[in-house]
Amino acid sequence: MVRVRVQAAAVVLAAAAVLGACGSDDPEASPSTTEAAPGTTVPQVVLDAGTEATLQSTFESAFQATGMPGAAVFVSIGDDEWTSVLGVDDLATNAPFDPGAHTRIASITKTFTASAVLHLVKEGKVSLDDTLDEYVTGIANGDQITVRDMLGMRSGVWDFTSDEDLVARFDADPTMPWTVDQTIELIRQHEPAFAPGEKVVYADSNYVLLGEVIEKAAGSTADGYIRSNVIEALGLDDTNFPIPDETGVPEPAVTGYLPPPDGSTAAPTVVGAINPQFAWTAGNMTSTLDDLVVWARELSDGSLLTPALQAERLDSRKIDGQKLNLGYGLGVTTLNDLVWHDGAIIGYSTVVMRYPQADATIVVIGNQSTNFTTPTAEIALSFIQQLYPDQIH
């Protein structure tokens, strides 16, 4: 699903815990895009034996702090690559964590949804200035909210994953009957959180509504359009957007675990099937470590888009209420020059990250999470602290 609630805010808290959060207090500070600031020097980091040893030590320490049973990481700088795996996939059998297994990628789905919408813009079937009510009626401020607002988390629509009773029901039974139409009807019943464009606040509802934009504009299902124009276009053979009755993770699959509540001594519980209609275009996809490495580069390079649309994607605004220079573009998170996104859903945590100026990529997958936590982001940010500490502010 989803990572219920503000994924980006959770990441800032993780960064604060892992890195000491030396954030700027300037509310007007603007996140940067992939154009390095004039006079900025990108640290020349070499992925040699010494760097790999430092990364391994950092990984071990950060992994232990997360409490996840298992995790796999990929780091590349230029043509040099380093991978590492820690822990187990199955707590009952102690089977080692499989870095090649399929995993849920939760809110990283949003990056695929955004790419599909931008592809429709490239085809001339959608404009970023189109209003929501051209595609979905009955939403408050729908005649003012634009496609750009929804992509950039600036619409102000009420967030359906802020409904604590609904999320509790999902946690108790992830296969519970639920449809996209029910999500949209729930959004219709609530007043907006703020006026369109007034703030940048992470909300899953934006990306469910964008799924409807895809279907209306493309004249096809969202899963079909994303599969044909994004997944297959990049040759991501192990990435999947599930159809409505596809509740499992393709085999071989990572075993996901939901940790016990804070203060409990109970064992983590295995997460099984999940109704993909609940998260839908906001967070229901699956992928693998290798495919996510390719996808991380696509987010920063934009091979499927025009240069102008890629520039739009990376033009981020600072997320309200954050101390770090954390922003949101059109379907990507930014932290200074980092381009990235993370995903959390019960049982699974993932993160993809690029530092384009250094040609550096970081991908982490792990097998334990709540809808609110992002342990893999803590690991990725600990790597950034070691390799490029100037990016953490």
Side-chain angles (χ1 to χ4, degrees):
M1 163 181 118
V2 185
R3 40 66 278 151
V4 177
R5 302 303 263 197
V6 182
Q7 185 113 21
V11 170
V12 171
L13 294 176
V18 175
L19 309 172
C22 49
S24 167
D25 289 324
D26 179 7
E28 300 302 320
S30 298
S32 41
T33 63
T34 55
E35 289 295 326
T40 299
T41 301
V42 178
Q44 298 302 302
V45 178
V46 178
L47 201 51
D48 55 16
T51 302
E52 291 180 0
T54 297
L55 290 175
Q56 182 64 32
S57 176
T58 300
F59 182 28
E60 290 171 1
S61 177
F63 170 73
Q64 184 175 12
T66 68
M68 291 189 296
V73 301
F74 171 94
V75 177
S76 69
I77 302 175
D79 294 330
D80 297 322
E81 300 177 356
W82 173 79
T83 60
S84 185
V85 182
L86 291 175
V88 301
D89 174 76
D90 192 314
L91 290 170
T93 66
N94 283 326
F97 190 86
D98 180 2
H102 296 82
T103 187
R104 296 189 187 278
I105 62 172
S107 283
I108 294 175
T109 300
K110 291 180 176 67
T111 62
F112 285 86
T113 299
S115 292
V117 172
L118 292 171
H119 194 270
L120 284 164
V121 174
K122 185 175 79 168
E123 292 182 319
K125 296 178 179 178
V126 171
S127 167
L128 290 173
D129 296 321
D130 286 348
T131 58
L132 172 59
D133 62 5
E134 295 177 52
Y135 301 95
V136 182
T137 59
I139 306 292
N141 293 332
D143 61 339
Q144 303 170 49
I145 295 167
T146 65
V147 170
R148 182 184 281 104
D149 288 333
M150 290 183 285
L151 286 167
M153 302 294 185
R154 309 163 195 171
S155 72
V157 293
W158 174 82
D159 190 9
F160 81 101
T161 56
S162 68
D163 185 326
E164 295 182 0
D165 290 339
L166 177 63
V167 172
R169 287 169 54 200
F170 174 80
D171 283 356
D173 178 13
T175 63
M176 72 177 198
W178 191 263
T179 66
V180 175
D181 287 344
Q182 285 177 277
T183 299
I184 293 173
E185 185 55 37
L186 200 57
I187 298 169
R188 286 192 178 109
Q189 295 170 12
H190 287 79
E191 293 299 312
F194 53 87
E198 182 178 82
K199 297 180 181 180
V200 180
V201 177
Y202 194 103
D204 289 298
S205 290
N206 286 298
Y207 276 75
V208 172
L209 294 170
L210 286 167
E212 288 288 299
V213 171
I214 293 171
E215 296 204 333
K216 298 288 174 53
S220 68
T221 61
D223 60 274
Y225 190 84
I226 291 171
R227 194 173 293 113
S228 298
N229 294 280
V230 183
I231 297 171
E232 293 175 1
L234 285 176
L236 302 178
D237 295 337
D238 291 317
T239 298
N240 183 51
F241 190 110
I243 58 177
D245 60 352
E246 194 174 358
T247 60
V249 178
E251 294 292 340
V254 169
T255 302
Y257 289 91
L258 177 66
D262 289 343
S264 171
T265 58
T269 55
V270 174
V271 176
I274 291 177
N275 178 356
Q277 291 286 284
F278 191 80
W280 200 42
T281 44
N284 73 358
M285 288 177 62
T286 64
S287 190
T288 62
L289 183 72
D290 286 348
D291 272 11
L292 290 176
V293 169
V294 176
W295 185 241
R297 182 174 289 276
E298 173 62 23
L299 291 182
S300 68
D301 296 359
S303 71
L304 300 179
L305 305 177
T306 64
L309 282 173
Q310 178 63 9
E312 289 260 21
R313 166 152 66 185
L314 299 177
D315 185 15
S316 65
R317 280 177 50 184
K318 188 172 182 179
I319 297 170
D320 280 64
Q322 309 305 324
K323 294 192 72 174
L324 296 184
N325 197 30
L326 189 76
Y328 207 85
L330 303 188
V332 294
T333 312
T334 62
L335 178 60
N336 297 303
D337 295 321
L338 303 177
V339 179
W340 61 302
H341 212 290
D342 63 334
I345 188 169
I346 50 174
Y348 302 87
S349 177
T350 49
V351 63
V352 293
M353 186 175 289
R354 279 279 293 167
Y355 182 11
Q357 291 87 343
D359 192 16
T361 302
I362 298 172
V363 178
V364 189
I365 62 174
N367 64 346
Q368 181 171 284
S369 184
T370 70
N371 292 314
F372 298 89
T373 52
T374 53
T376 54
E378 297 177 35
I379 294 172
L381 289 167
S382 69
F383 289 157
I384 292 295
Q385 176 67 8
Q386 289 293 331
L387 300 173
Y388 307 106
D390 61 306
Q391 292 301 307
I392 308 297
H393 62 83

